[in-house]
Amino acid sequence: MSYNSEEIDALLKIAPLLNEFMLEDIGILITDTEKVLAYYPGERLDFGIKVGEAIDKNWVVDEALKQRRRVVNEVDESVCGVPYIGVGNPIFNENGTLVGGITISQPTEKKERLLAMSKDLLSTTEEVNNQVEEIAIEAEDMVEMGEKLEEISDETEARVRNTDNIVEIIKDIADKIKILGINASIEAARVGEEGQGFAVVAKEVQNLAEKSVESTTNIEETLEKVNEISSELNNVSEKLAEASDLQASVVNKIHAEMQSLNVLGNKILEMAESLSDDG
């Protein structure tokens, strides 16, 4: 049918100028209800459509004419080398009669890049969040390990203190044995030959006392080393606790920042997807 429409006439006059006013490269197709009236390809979008060509049933304008409403069709790069979005609108005259349609096609490379970037951002934040959670678990394990080390150190110190008391008792007994040996030697010397056997026993008692003193000295040295190790354990557990607290603080800050990035990534994704929403 002949378009004979002021609305279409107006579009035909302004269509050649639209690309100059648009920030993005666009293609414009104007039809009546049966055929192409005008086609202005974009720099990167050229479907090779000819004036007078019948409307193809696969075109978005055909769907818009059939449904008598705005139709949006998003197409990937397999069709013409670049992804694009086609928006078809029916044209009605002042009496409400359908007289034609118009389609504006626009590349969506930027939108696709934005989508890819937002998805990469979300993927990265998710991966980092997983790593942060693992670090948090390790930090908790470190705290638990530090607490166990502190318990072991405290128990060791308590046992060493208890052993110190035993050593003091042994030293006291050794001193008394030594005095007993000396007294026995004096008594054996006083009685002369009759006390020779007693003198031998006294000598052995003195030797036993000296060995006891020597043993307690060795025990004291060993306990002193154990005390030093215990103190080092305490220092290590304290430093471990400090490091764990610092790590936990850093992990919490990173987690909060990653949560913010995740929210931002979702907003970017929504914005990118909304670029092609129909409505």
Side-chain angles (χ1 to χ4, degrees):
M1 63 174 288
S2 173
Y3 64 87
N4 192 22
S5 164
E6 293 180 0
E7 289 78 10
I8 291 182
D9 282 337
L11 285 173
L12 288 172
K13 289 177 182 178
I14 196 173
L17 305 174
L18 284 179
N19 237 327
E20 298 180 15
F21 294 100
M22 301 296 290
L23 295 175
E24 297 288 343
D25 179 33
I26 62 171
I28 302 167
L29 171 69
I30 300 174
T31 71
D32 58 18
T33 56
E34 298 175 353
K35 63 182 181 301
V36 176
L37 299 178
Y39 176 61
Y40 301 96
E43 292 182 6
R44 289 175 297 157
L45 281 177
D46 187 352
F47 302 106
I49 298 173
K50 305 298 181 184
V51 173
E53 184 178 344
I55 296 173
D56 191 296
K57 64 179 181 179
N58 294 317
W59 294 352
V60 67
V61 71
D62 182 69
E63 192 68 23
L65 291 172
K66 288 177 180 177
Q67 297 189 23
R68 301 171 68 87
R69 67 174 181 83
R70 179 174 182 261
V71 175
V72 177
N73 190 14
E74 192 169 357
V75 183
D76 61 30
E77 66 274 8
S78 62
V79 175
C80 62
V82 293
Y84 72 93
I85 185 171
V87 181
N89 279 285
I91 301 170
F92 300 93
N93 64 16
E94 60 183 7
N95 298 320
T97 302
L98 180 66
V99 293
I102 181 171
T103 297
I104 295 179
S105 302
Q106 180 178 344
T108 56
E109 290 169 309
K110 290 183 179 179
K111 177 233 174 181
E112 294 298 326
R113 286 198 296 269
L114 187 60
L115 273 173
M117 288 170 60
S118 60
K119 288 177 180 178
D120 286 344
L121 177 60
L122 288 174
S123 175
T124 301
T125 54
E126 183 179 358
E127 184 178 345
V128 173
N129 267 330
N130 291 336
Q131 292 176 354
V132 167
E133 288 176 3
E134 289 179 6
I135 293 172
I137 293 172
E138 290 176 0
E140 290 176 1
D141 291 341
M142 286 175 64
V143 170
E144 187 177 346
M145 188 183 300
E147 290 173 351
K148 286 182 179 179
L149 278 175
E150 190 172 357
E151 288 176 6
I152 293 171
S153 176
D154 291 342
E155 185 178 352
T156 302
E157 286 185 357
R159 289 181 180 274
V160 167
R161 284 194 297 271
N162 187 45
T163 307
D164 282 341
N165 294 332
I166 295 172
V167 169
E168 289 300 322
I169 293 171
I170 294 173
K171 285 175 68 178
D172 184 53
I173 293 172
D175 289 340
K176 289 179 180 178
I177 291 174
K178 187 176 181 180
I179 293 171
L180 181 62
I182 292 171
N183 289 336
S185 296
I186 294 171
E187 189 63 26
R190 188 178 66 79
V191 297
E193 289 185 8
E194 293 179 0
Q196 286 298 317
F198 191 61
V200 172
V201 174
K203 184 64 175 176
E204 290 301 320
V205 169
Q206 284 181 316
N207 289 338
L208 176 62
E210 289 174 359
K211 287 181 180 178
S212 296
V213 171
E214 184 179 346
S215 296
T216 54
T217 301
N218 291 335
I219 292 172
E220 283 180 328
E221 290 175 355
T222 302
L223 290 176
E224 188 176 345
K225 290 179 181 178
V226 172
N227 260 329
E228 290 175 0
I229 294 172
S230 179
S231 296
E232 288 179 8
L233 272 177
N234 259 332
N235 291 334
V236 169
S237 63
E238 287 174 3
K239 289 179 180 178
L240 189 60
E242 290 174 3
S244 299
D245 290 341
L246 179 61
Q247 188 179 40
S249 175
V250 172
V251 164
N252 288 334
K253 288 180 181 178
I254 293 174
H255 185 68
E257 292 297 329
M258 295 313 298
Q259 289 293 96
S260 298
L261 280 177
N262 194 55
V263 171
L264 179 61
N266 278 312
K267 286 182 179 178
I268 294 173
L269 185 61
E270 289 174 6
M271 288 171 61
E273 289 175 341
S274 70
L275 292 176
S276 60
D277 284 348
D278 187 9

